[in-house]
Structure formats: C-alpha cells, structure tokens
Amino acid sequence: EEVLQQIFEYSVNTSHRHFYNQLYGGIDEVTLAASWLIEALNTNVHTYEAAPVFTLVESFVIGRLVELFGWLDGEGIFCPGGSISNMYGMVLARHHTHPDIKLKGSSSTRPLVVLTSDQSHYSFKKGAVWLGLGTDNVVSVETDTYGRMLPQALRKAVKEARERGGEPFFVGATAGTTVLGAFDPLEEIADVCQEEGLWLHADACWGGSAILSNTHKHLLQGIHRADSISWNPHKMLGVSLQCSPFIVKQKGLLQEANALSAPYLFHQDKFYDVSFDTGNKSIQCGRKGDSVKLYLTLSLHGLRHIEERVDTAFSAARYLQEQVSTRPWFRPVLDKHQCTNTCFWYIPPSLRHKPETQDWWQQLGKVAPLVKERLAKAGTVMLTYQPLHEKQLVNFFRMINTGVPAPTHQDMDYVLQQIETHGADL
C-alpha cells in the first residue's frame, strides 16, 4: 500500500483539469471501468477461443468505424498506439504495391519512397526505419502557413522522387497535426494519389474525433477516399490509454500482409468460425481488448454526448485563440485555431516595446521553456512548447484542449493568468 501511494504521489495527474501537456487528458469513468474489466479478465485477443466476447466486440466496433468514416466496406484492428497504426498503413501499402516483398524482401525493388508533410508525425520516419526503407526515402512535402500539405508540392515531390530513381508508393496525409492542428486537404491529395497510383493513408490520430461532430466533421472532408485511416480515441475523447483503431478499405489485406502459419495457435480445423481469430492479421501476438473501452464509452454516453465533448474542446480553443489575439502581451502564432491546438507567445516585461530584431526573437524563444518549468514546479498548469524550425518560428506555447475534463473559458483565463504570473519578472 505504501509503494502504491508513493507511485500515485510522484506521478503526473493527467486527469487534472490543467494538464494540457500532450494530445490527451483526463480519463472517462466508463472507460476506466472497462480498463479494470480488461485487466481482471487478463485475456488475449488473438483467438476467439481465448477471448470470445472481445473478438466479437472488436469486429462490431470496426464495422461501425468503417461506416462512420464513409466507407461501404473495410476491416481493421486495434493497435498499441497511433505510431503502430501508421506503420500498419505503410505495411499494407507496401504489400499492395509489391506483395512479393513478403517472401523475397525488398532488395529486388527500387528504393520505395514515402511522402508526407513537413508537419506530419515522426512515426512515419520511425516506420521507415522499422520497415527497412530508410529515413532518406521519407520525403517531407512543403506545407502552407497553417501547416497544411500543398497538393501541388506533393505532385512535384512525386515527380522528383521518380527522377531520382525511387518508387513513391505511400502518401501519409494528416488530419490534425501535432503542433499546429492542421488538416491536410484530403480531397485534393486524394486526386493526386489517384492520378499517380499511390496509396493514401490518413493519419487522423488527433483530429479524427471531429468525425463525431456535425459542426466540425467538415474538417475531414475527403477522408472516405483514403485507403487506410488511423485514429486515437484515447486523445480527445478521454478513452483510457491505449485505444487506437486502424481501418483499411480493402478487405483481406491485413491477413495477406501479416499472416504466417502458427499451427499451434491458428488451427484451421477448430470447432468455430476461425475468421474470428484475429491474431493472424496483427504484427503482435499479445493484444488487449481495447475495443471494449471505445464500445462502452460511445454506447453508454451516447454519440450526442460525445459530440458535445468534441464541440466543447473546440469552443475552448476558439476562446483561447481570441484571448491571445486581444490581450496585450500575448501573440498568436496563427490567426486562427485549426483543431483544438492554440499556439502563442508570451512577451515578458523585458522584451516589451523593443525592436523585434533577430536577437529579440532569440530571447523570446527562451521564455516558454522557463515559464513551463515554473508552472510545472508550482503544480498549477502543465502545458508544452516547441519551435518550428522549418517555418523559422522560435519556441512558443502549445495549448491542447481535450474533451475530458470538459474545458471552460474560465480554465483558459486561468492558464493565461498563470503564465503572466510566473513570467512577470522576466
């Protein structure tokens, strides 16, 4: 009991209403109950015989997600995080393009090239390492001021990659980038992919929750044209870590790309329908019943309540954007918020009314790390910061609003007040 108490005491309370540090927040009480159940039953969702309820729930939830994202058919699997989900997209794209690689390896092909925006998640480069593609074959496509991939830049990058002797096969579009919250123009990107014969994967790990909001789902316009989609309900919706469904439009491809014979586990002469043995679709053997957490959260709360959560997070981000645009010593990085990310600088007293030279900006870049440290040590607010070197932007604060606990306008005022208080002597 003493050890457990110490662990609790010295851990970060991510359910604190002023924890904004990452793309997730508090834990919903329903999903917490589901997590306890999953741990208590301690089963593995690789076969129906070991986890009959969990495998059926996963099949049902995946079917509903296929409909939700606008497909007529498809399949999927729950993964241990968004990075692995994005890697699934890369694996299936490679298998779709060169199915012989599964047996012969990639030495017989030209260098396979991944194209994704310069604001995309680093997991695409990690995937290139794990798949043996090499990070040199991950092309960063130029983005606009808001961090959205430029379709014309994508088309140019495809052409240049081919001229260098590479073979583009995969485009990773992003619906809600980590830093700026940008949504790539999926319709236009899908047009390029269709014309060039490329697999389109939509990384909707962060912004995918907008699909549940009638007000904000337009941000995902065109996502139905993607070949595969990754989404993380453990982010904006408050589903407990981890909950990461991956869906793919082409049925059977997960099995084709990942299945290997394991006669001690995946017998074909079992007493039930072996199509419910999902382990052969996965790169893992051990896999938890994460689908139950999403199933119970959506079912017991209802989609209307979940929509309200998403809308509340967007509303808080909009209010914060208005505040940092109008308060005298704050400055927004962009003139609007895109997802529920709000990016801004705080200008301390020593830098006010000074010429904004290169040295001034370098000094401003030191503010966010120092204020973050003070806030964390005070235990009042936890939020993050970062620079964007490719856009020549020094360190700025990045506030992330999620749906649990529901953020209020008063919460946003408190955050800005705390930043001013802890930066007043700088």
Side-chain angles (χ1 to χ4, degrees):
E1 186 177 350
E2 182 181 346
V3 171
L4 293 176
Q5 185 60 42
Q6 287 182 335
I7 291 172
F8 185 83
E9 196 172 312
Y10 288 99
S11 293
V12 174
N13 179 9
T14 60
S15 289
H16 191 288
R17 67 180 309 103
H18 295 304
F19 174 83
Y20 309 102
N21 208 61
Q22 265 77 39
L23 300 179
Y24 65 91
I27 182 173
D28 175 83
E29 66 277 6
V30 172
T31 190
L32 178 58
S35 296
W36 282 336
L37 178 66
I38 291 167
E39 294 301 321
L41 289 172
N42 193 37
T43 191
N44 192 336
V45 194
H46 56 359
T47 61
Y48 174 85
E49 63 186 283
V53 177
F54 289 132
T55 53
L56 292 177
V57 169
E58 181 174 64
S59 177
F60 173 79
V61 172
I62 289 295
R64 292 301 302 273
L65 294 183
V66 164
E67 296 173 8
L68 185 67
F69 283 97
W71 293 346
L72 297 177
D73 205 357
E75 63 175 342
I77 199 164
F78 276 70
C79 306
S83 292
I84 301 297
S85 298
N86 287 338
M87 195 185 303
Y88 265 97
M90 297 172 73
V91 168
L92 296 192
R94 185 178 67 173
H95 184 79
H96 177 75
T97 306
H98 288 289
D100 53 320
I101 286 180
K102 183 177 180 181
L103 298 176
K104 300 177 181 178
S106 57
S107 59
S108 60
T109 69
R110 290 178 294 158
L112 296 175
V113 177
V114 170
L115 299 107
T116 187
S117 87
D118 60 24
Q119 297 299 302
S120 67
H121 196 257
Y122 71 101
S123 58
F124 290 113
K125 285 192 175 181
K126 277 199 172 185
V129 173
W130 273 59
L131 297 179
L133 306 179
T135 56
D136 285 349
N137 290 312
V138 179
V139 175
S140 293
V141 180
E142 185 185 355
T143 57
D144 65 12
T145 304
Y146 296 100
R148 300 171 299 197
M149 186 192 294
L150 294 168
Q152 62 271 30
L154 172 62
R155 197 183 302 275
K156 179 182 177 184
V158 171
K159 181 175 182 292
E160 291 176 347
R162 287 174 176 155
E163 290 173 349
R164 291 192 300 269
E167 182 182 351
F169 77 106
F170 175 93
V171 173
T174 309
T177 58
T178 304
V179 178
L180 298 177
F183 288 81
D184 287 341
L186 297 174
E187 288 282 11
E188 292 88 341
I189 293 173
D191 288 341
V192 176
C193 291
Q194 185 174 336
E195 293 166 16
E196 301 290 347
L198 305 174
W199 181 281
L200 175 57
H201 173 75
D203 174 5
C205 288
W206 173 226
S209 295
I211 199 73
L212 296 165
S213 166
N214 288 316
T215 304
H216 299 102
K217 65 182 179 182
H218 67 90
L219 295 167
L220 297 165
Q221 182 177 346
I223 198 167
H224 66 284
R225 298 182 62 188
D227 296 292
S228 56
I229 300 170
S230 52
W231 176 40
N232 285 356
H234 66 234
K235 290 181 174 172
M236 197 177 296
L237 299 189
V239 178
S240 61
L241 283 160
Q242 56 202 18
C243 187
S244 303
F246 166 83
I247 58 174
V248 57
K249 188 178 292 184
Q250 184 175 329
K251 259 192 165 181
L253 200 57
L254 276 168
Q255 183 88 3
E256 288 178 25
N258 298 317
L260 291 172
S261 176
Y264 54 84
L265 187 60
F266 304 120
H267 317 98
Q268 296 303 298
D269 55 354
K270 291 180 178 179
F271 61 92
Y272 58 83
D273 182 355
V274 295
S275 67
F276 287 110
D277 287 354
T278 58
N280 241 344
K281 297 179 180 180
S282 171
I283 58 170
Q284 305 163 252
C285 184
R287 205 161 57 86
K288 289 184 175 291
D290 294 328
S291 61
V292 173
K293 295 183 287 191
L294 181 58
Y295 170 75
L296 288 178
T297 300
L298 298 181
S299 299
L300 296 184
H301 286 298
L303 292 180
R304 185 169 183 178
H305 175 73
I306 298 300
E307 178 182 17
E308 290 173 359
R309 284 187 182 178
V310 174
D311 290 346
T312 298
F314 272 88
S315 174
R318 182 169 58 252
Y319 175 80
L320 183 59
Q321 180 74 28
E322 293 168 356
Q323 293 302 304
V324 298
S325 300
T326 56
R327 297 194 184 199
W329 308 124
F330 290 90
R331 183 179 299 183
V333 173
L334 301 175
D335 59 10
K336 63 179 180 180
H337 76 96
Q338 299 183 88
C339 192
T340 63
N341 311 39
T342 308
C343 302
F344 59 92
W345 291 282
Y346 167 67
I347 303 173
S350 64
L351 294 179
R352 295 170 189 172
H353 312 297
K354 300 284 182 66
E356 296 183 10
T357 62
Q358 185 176 358
D359 180 65
W360 185 91
W361 280 103
Q362 288 178 347
Q363 293 301 314
L364 183 63
K366 298 176 181 179
V367 173
L370 184 54
V371 172
K372 176 194 169 74
E373 178 185 352
R374 293 179 174 185
L375 292 171
K377 289 180 176 178
T380 56
V381 174
M382 195 166 182
L383 75 165
T384 191
Y385 66 88
Q386 68 286 304
L388 275 183
H389 298 299
E390 61 273 14
K391 296 192 179 298
Q392 292 78 52
L393 299 175
V394 300
N395 281 322
F396 52 84
F397 290 108
R398 174 179 56 123
M399 264 285 295
I400 300 296
N401 276 296
T402 65
V404 180
T408 66
H409 292 183
Q410 290 77 15
D411 290 332
M412 302 301 101
D413 291 333
Y414 176 79
V415 170
L416 297 182
Q417 175 263 315
Q418 285 293 307
I419 291 174
E420 287 193 289
T421 298
H422 289 275
D425 63 335
L426 297 180

